[in-house]
Amino acid sequence: MKLYIVGAGPGAPDLITVRGQQLLKEADVILYADSLVSEEHFNIAKPGAEILKTAGMHLEEMVEVMKQRLQEGKKVVRLHTGDPAVYGAIMEQMTLLKEAGVEIEIVPGVSSVFAAAASAQAELTIPDLTQTVILTRAEGRTPVPEREQLAKLAEHHCTIAFFLSATLTKKVMKELVSAGWAPETPVTVVYKATWPDEKIVRTTIEKLDEDMRVNGIRKQAMILAGWALDPNIHQKDFRSKLYDKEFTHGFRRGMKQ
Ligand code: SAH
């Protein structure tokens, strides 16, 4: 018995991996939870495939459905938005399924953080500016551990990608500014990256909440913050050392070792 956990990618049906797509074609049962999984993915499912929306089910119920179908010898795919490894809540599912003797295979997907960066045509790691991206969420009803409070993460002044935070922008603004981020620090919000109704909002920390409101964005948004998102980055001198003659020389030599 084997369950396939598949990353669907950010939305556009052709942004799933070839491997993930093949599994969708072969599946007898497909379970998906998220409103961020496009139903277009199911166009390639076999006729008669069972497609189950799990939004209303609790964990044990869902695991029971999977186990039952697997015991009937069916091929079962659990489709997750983006990549299953971030905010996918797969750990509890896997624990229960493994206890029941189910093998698991995970197929990665394009996370919304990278789809959003692509839509915004941004590089999140700009040489000499920042070489780190933090993937996090603002604290709402779901707590964030004390040592990972935004004020602490902000000390790094790197790029920060906020999942699940579209309703928490006031808090994000307040905490970044009180951690010493300039109010004019660039922020790019990508609503429904790669969906037909995708929207890109380029703003700053101080205007973030207002611009989200004006654009009616209160869910399904990736918020990318930091100077790497500066719309004028091209005019600045952050040319990658990779293109620097001497560095390239040294790098090539280094490669030979
Ligand atoms: N595993 C997913 C994240 C699931 S949590 C991934 O890798 O992308 C859900 C959050 O992801 C949303 O609140 C939003 O912040 C972000 N998200 C998912 N799909 C998105 C999309 N198409 N555009 C923008 N943000 C998205």
Side-chain angles (χ1 to χ4, degrees), residues 220-250:
Q220 302 175 330
M222 172 57 55
I223 301 171
L224 302 170
W227 284 99
L229 283 309
D230 186 351
N232 302 317
I233 194 97
H234 310 288
Q235 290 147 30
K236 300 197 175 153
D237 195 20
F238 293 123
R239 252 167 61 94
S240 168
K241 284 225 172 11
L242 273 175
Y243 300 113
D244 186 293
K245 245 196 222 148
E246 272 173 38
F247 183 80
T248 309
H249 187 64

Side-chain angles (χ1 to χ4, degrees), residues 82-148:
D83 185 279
V86 274
Y87 309 106
I90 57 173
M91 197 270 291
E92 312 95 281
Q93 283 175 44
M94 292 200 292
T95 305
L96 291 178
L97 287 160
K98 282 182 184 164
E99 273 168 20
V102 176
E103 215 186 305
I104 309 270
E105 183 172 327
I106 303 179
V107 179
V110 177
S111 175
S112 56
V113 58
F114 301 118
S119 292
Q121 300 193 359
E123 175 171 353
L124 304 181
T125 54
I126 303 287
D128 292 338
L129 179 64
T130 178
Q131 290 294 286
T132 303
V133 183
I134 291 178
L135 309 186
T136 190
R137 68 185 298 168
E139 184 168 56
R141 271 180 306 171
T142 307
V144 171
E146 178 57 36
R147 62 187 176 278
E148 296 169 19

